[in-house]
């Protein structure tokens, strides 16, 4: 019984297939900049081979994404197909509270505006 080789794909290509980046060039630039970790080890090679079971850590926007690869992917397909390529391990962030100065009551009154300005200045001014 021979073990079949683990299917692998280039890192930049997988990030593009999984729809984390709009273009493969953007994915390659992020990897080449040293901003991606594969199984906790930094890599700066877009051609590094990854496959099922590998864990990737990389920035996307203002967040740090942590994903485990489930499948290498054949093409850059629709979003549901792309989401089947990975398991998202990123911790869920709580939604920020609504801004305290506006509670949906319409336009603030002059009294509200004075209180807001006073709260911005602080007690010493």
């Amino acid at each position: 019984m021979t073990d079949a080789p683990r299917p692998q794909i280039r890192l930049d290509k997988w990030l593009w297939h999984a729809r984390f980046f709009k273009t493969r060039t953007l994915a390659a630039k992020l990897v080449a900049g040293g901003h991606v970790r594969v199984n906790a080890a930094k890599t700066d090679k877009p051609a590094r081979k990854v496959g099922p079971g590998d864990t990737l850590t990389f920035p996307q926007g203002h967040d740090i994404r942590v994903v485990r690869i489930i499948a290498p992917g054949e093409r850059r397909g629709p979003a549901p197909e792309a989401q089947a390529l990975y398991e998202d391990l990123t911790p869920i962030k709580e939604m920020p509270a609504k801004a305290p100065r506006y509670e949906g009551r319409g336009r603030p009154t002059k009294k509200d505006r004075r209180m807001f300005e006073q709260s911005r200045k602080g007690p010493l001014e």
Side-chain angles (χ1 to χ4, degrees), residues 71-94:
E74 298 293 321
R75 66 187 186 119
R76 186 170 202 257
E81 187 178 312
Q83 290 167 352
L85 299 178
Y86 63 92
E87 175 186 359
D88 196 356
L89 304 175
T90 307
I92 299 172
K93 288 173 45 175
E94 292 187 24

Side-chain angles (χ1 to χ4, degrees), residues 96-116:
K98 196 185 263 188
R101 59 183 173 233
Y102 178 71
E103 292 148 1
R105 295 178 294 173
R107 185 175 173 174
T109 63
K110 188 166 186 168
K111 181 180 177 185
D112 293 335
R113 288 194 303 271
R114 282 191 205 119
M115 288 174 51
F116 175 67

Side-chain angles (χ1 to χ4, degrees):
M1 181 167 132
T2 60
D3 290 328
R6 184 174 81 143
Q8 293 186 324
I9 187 171
R10 285 176 57 113
L11 176 58
D12 60 338
K13 197 170 185 178
W14 187 88
L15 288 168
W16 177 63
H17 279 189
R19 294 185 160 266
F20 286 110
F21 297 97
K22 203 172 213 175
T23 66
R24 189 168 159 191
T25 304
L26 287 174
K29 283 182 183 177
L30 184 83
V31 176
H35 301 292
V36 178
R37 290 178 180 261
V38 178
N39 297 327
K42 275 190 177 183
T43 185
D44 60 353
K45 298 180 190 287
R48 186 183 192 295
K49 299 290 185 180
V50 293
D54 288 337
T55 302
L56 306 179
T57 306
F58 57 94
Q60 186 181 31
H62 296 290
D63 300 326
I64 301 294
R65 301 292 302 261
V66 181
V67 297
R68 180 175 298 124
I69 298 175
I70 296 174
E74 298 293 321
R75 66 187 186 119
R76 186 170 202 257
E81 187 178 312
Q83 290 167 352
L85 299 178
Y86 63 92
E87 175 186 359
D88 196 356
L89 304 175
T90 307
I92 299 172
K93 288 173 45 175
E94 292 187 24
M95 295 298 291
K98 196 185 263 188
R101 59 183 173 233
Y102 178 71
E103 292 148 1
R105 295 178 294 173
R107 185 175 173 174
T109 63
K110 188 166 186 168
K111 181 180 177 185
D112 293 335
R113 288 194 303 271
R114 282 191 205 119
M115 288 174 51
F116 175 67
E117 287 297 318
Q118 189 174 13
S119 70
R120 287 182 67 197
K121 288 181 184 178
L124 300 177
E125 293 182 32

